Short mmCIF file of all heavy atoms in Angstrom, two decimals:
data_model
loop_
_atom_site.label_atom_id
_atom_site.label_comp_id
_atom_site.label_asym_id
_atom_site.label_seq_id
_atom_site.Cartn_x
_atom_site.Cartn_y
_atom_site.Cartn_z
N PRO A 117 -13.96 -154.52 -84.32
CA PRO A 117 -13.43 -154.88 -85.64
C PRO A 117 -12.01 -155.54 -85.38
O PRO A 117 -11.21 -155.17 -84.48
CB PRO A 117 -13.36 -153.67 -86.42
CG PRO A 117 -13.30 -152.56 -85.43
CD PRO A 117 -14.19 -152.98 -84.25
N ILE A 118 -11.69 -156.60 -86.21
CA ILE A 118 -10.40 -157.16 -86.20
C ILE A 118 -9.75 -156.78 -87.59
O ILE A 118 -10.29 -157.19 -88.71
CB ILE A 118 -10.43 -158.68 -86.09
CG1 ILE A 118 -11.26 -159.10 -84.89
CG2 ILE A 118 -9.05 -159.30 -86.09
CD1 ILE A 118 -11.51 -160.60 -84.79
N VAL A 119 -8.65 -155.99 -87.61
CA VAL A 119 -8.09 -155.68 -88.90
C VAL A 119 -6.98 -156.74 -89.21
O VAL A 119 -6.02 -156.87 -88.51
CB VAL A 119 -7.40 -154.26 -88.80
CG1 VAL A 119 -6.75 -153.87 -90.11
CG2 VAL A 119 -8.42 -153.27 -88.37
N PRO A 120 -7.24 -157.56 -90.28
CA PRO A 120 -6.25 -158.57 -90.58
C PRO A 120 -4.86 -157.99 -90.83
O PRO A 120 -4.74 -156.81 -91.28
CB PRO A 120 -6.83 -159.25 -91.84
CG PRO A 120 -8.32 -158.94 -91.79
CD PRO A 120 -8.37 -157.62 -91.12
N ASP A 121 -3.76 -158.74 -90.72
CA ASP A 121 -2.56 -158.29 -91.06
C ASP A 121 -2.27 -158.16 -92.55
O ASP A 121 -3.23 -158.46 -93.35
CB ASP A 121 -1.34 -159.13 -90.44
CG ASP A 121 -1.49 -160.61 -90.88
OD1 ASP A 121 -2.01 -160.82 -91.95
OD2 ASP A 121 -0.88 -161.40 -90.20
N ASN A 122 -1.13 -157.90 -93.03
CA ASN A 122 -0.88 -157.63 -94.44
C ASN A 122 -1.04 -158.88 -95.25
O ASN A 122 -1.14 -158.84 -96.51
CB ASN A 122 0.54 -157.06 -94.63
CG ASN A 122 0.69 -155.71 -94.04
OD1 ASN A 122 -0.26 -154.96 -93.98
ND2 ASN A 122 1.96 -155.37 -93.61
N SER A 123 -0.98 -160.10 -94.61
CA SER A 123 -1.26 -161.35 -95.29
C SER A 123 -2.63 -161.72 -95.22
O SER A 123 -3.08 -162.87 -95.66
CB SER A 123 -0.38 -162.41 -94.68
OG SER A 123 1.03 -162.10 -94.76
N GLY A 124 -3.58 -160.95 -94.61
CA GLY A 124 -4.96 -161.31 -94.54
C GLY A 124 -5.25 -162.20 -93.31
O GLY A 124 -6.41 -162.71 -93.21
N ARG A 125 -4.40 -162.33 -92.40
CA ARG A 125 -4.57 -163.39 -91.34
C ARG A 125 -4.90 -162.64 -90.03
O ARG A 125 -4.53 -161.44 -89.79
CB ARG A 125 -3.34 -164.17 -91.13
CG ARG A 125 -3.06 -165.15 -92.31
CD ARG A 125 -1.71 -165.83 -92.14
NE ARG A 125 -0.53 -164.87 -92.09
CZ ARG A 125 0.70 -165.19 -92.00
NH1 ARG A 125 1.07 -166.38 -92.01
NH2 ARG A 125 1.67 -164.24 -91.96
N TYR A 126 -5.64 -163.29 -89.16
CA TYR A 126 -5.90 -162.91 -87.85
C TYR A 126 -6.14 -164.07 -86.90
O TYR A 126 -6.43 -165.19 -87.44
CB TYR A 126 -7.17 -161.90 -87.72
CG TYR A 126 -8.39 -162.53 -88.16
CD1 TYR A 126 -9.31 -163.17 -87.25
CD2 TYR A 126 -8.84 -162.53 -89.49
CE1 TYR A 126 -10.53 -163.69 -87.65
CE2 TYR A 126 -10.06 -163.05 -89.93
CZ TYR A 126 -10.93 -163.59 -88.93
OH TYR A 126 -12.04 -164.23 -89.37
N GLU A 127 -6.12 -163.89 -85.58
CA GLU A 127 -6.23 -165.05 -84.66
C GLU A 127 -7.11 -164.66 -83.48
O GLU A 127 -6.87 -163.56 -82.93
CB GLU A 127 -4.79 -165.41 -84.20
CG GLU A 127 -4.80 -166.63 -83.31
CD GLU A 127 -3.39 -167.03 -82.83
OE1 GLU A 127 -2.48 -166.34 -83.22
OE2 GLU A 127 -3.35 -167.90 -82.07
N ILE A 128 -8.09 -165.51 -83.17
CA ILE A 128 -8.97 -165.19 -82.06
C ILE A 128 -8.31 -165.84 -80.80
O ILE A 128 -7.82 -166.94 -80.77
CB ILE A 128 -10.33 -165.98 -82.27
CG1 ILE A 128 -10.96 -165.52 -83.57
CG2 ILE A 128 -11.23 -165.72 -81.14
CD1 ILE A 128 -11.21 -164.02 -83.63
N LYS A 129 -8.24 -165.04 -79.77
CA LYS A 129 -7.51 -165.42 -78.56
C LYS A 129 -8.45 -165.76 -77.35
O LYS A 129 -7.91 -166.26 -76.38
CB LYS A 129 -6.62 -164.24 -78.13
CG LYS A 129 -5.49 -163.95 -79.01
CD LYS A 129 -4.44 -165.04 -79.06
CE LYS A 129 -3.27 -164.77 -79.86
NZ LYS A 129 -2.22 -165.84 -79.90
N ALA A 143 -8.39 -160.77 -79.66
CA ALA A 143 -7.88 -161.28 -80.95
C ALA A 143 -6.74 -160.54 -81.35
O ALA A 143 -6.36 -159.47 -80.82
CB ALA A 143 -9.04 -161.05 -82.01
N CYS A 144 -5.90 -161.06 -82.43
CA CYS A 144 -4.68 -160.41 -82.95
C CYS A 144 -4.85 -160.35 -84.40
O CYS A 144 -5.36 -161.26 -85.10
CB CYS A 144 -3.47 -161.19 -82.60
SG CYS A 144 -3.14 -161.32 -80.78
N GLY A 145 -4.44 -159.23 -85.01
CA GLY A 145 -4.43 -159.05 -86.42
C GLY A 145 -3.32 -158.06 -86.72
O GLY A 145 -2.13 -158.27 -86.29
N LEU A 146 -3.61 -156.97 -87.45
CA LEU A 146 -2.65 -155.94 -87.67
C LEU A 146 -2.24 -155.38 -86.39
O LEU A 146 -1.09 -154.94 -86.10
CB LEU A 146 -3.21 -154.91 -88.68
CG LEU A 146 -2.28 -153.77 -89.05
CD1 LEU A 146 -1.16 -154.24 -89.83
CD2 LEU A 146 -3.10 -152.72 -89.76
N VAL A 147 -3.23 -155.16 -85.45
CA VAL A 147 -3.06 -154.76 -84.11
C VAL A 147 -3.86 -155.61 -83.20
O VAL A 147 -4.84 -156.37 -83.60
CB VAL A 147 -3.49 -153.23 -83.91
CG1 VAL A 147 -2.56 -152.33 -84.64
CG2 VAL A 147 -4.87 -153.07 -84.25
N ASN A 148 -3.66 -155.57 -81.91
CA ASN A 148 -4.44 -156.34 -80.98
C ASN A 148 -5.78 -155.80 -80.77
O ASN A 148 -6.00 -154.56 -80.94
CB ASN A 148 -3.65 -156.44 -79.60
CG ASN A 148 -2.27 -157.15 -79.59
OD1 ASN A 148 -2.17 -158.01 -80.44
ND2 ASN A 148 -1.32 -156.82 -78.82
N VAL A 149 -6.66 -156.75 -80.30
CA VAL A 149 -8.15 -156.28 -80.06
C VAL A 149 -8.37 -156.62 -78.59
O VAL A 149 -8.14 -157.70 -78.10
CB VAL A 149 -9.09 -157.08 -80.82
CG1 VAL A 149 -10.52 -156.74 -80.48
CG2 VAL A 149 -8.83 -156.72 -82.37
N ARG A 168 -11.30 -149.02 -94.40
CA ARG A 168 -10.83 -150.35 -94.55
C ARG A 168 -11.84 -151.32 -95.27
O ARG A 168 -11.51 -152.29 -95.86
CB ARG A 168 -10.48 -150.98 -93.17
CG ARG A 168 -9.78 -152.36 -93.19
CD ARG A 168 -8.38 -152.34 -93.83
NE ARG A 168 -7.47 -151.50 -93.01
CZ ARG A 168 -6.19 -151.68 -93.04
NH1 ARG A 168 -5.66 -152.63 -93.86
NH2 ARG A 168 -5.32 -150.96 -92.32
N CYS A 171 -14.77 -156.03 -92.56
CA CYS A 171 -13.78 -156.67 -91.68
C CYS A 171 -14.42 -157.66 -90.78
O CYS A 171 -15.67 -157.47 -90.49
CB CYS A 171 -13.07 -155.64 -90.81
SG CYS A 171 -11.82 -154.57 -91.58
N PRO A 172 -13.72 -158.68 -90.35
CA PRO A 172 -14.30 -159.53 -89.34
C PRO A 172 -14.40 -158.83 -88.01
O PRO A 172 -13.71 -157.77 -87.81
CB PRO A 172 -13.22 -160.70 -89.18
CG PRO A 172 -11.93 -160.04 -89.76
CD PRO A 172 -12.41 -159.18 -90.79
#
Side-chain angles (χ1 to χ4, degrees):
I118 307 170
V119 182
D121 63 19
N122 296 331
S123 301
R125 295 173 296 187
Y126 63 92
E127 183 179 359
I128 305 300
K129 293 294 186 179
C144 296
L146 184 65
V147 293
N148 295 332
V149 175
R168 187 69 64 158
C171 284

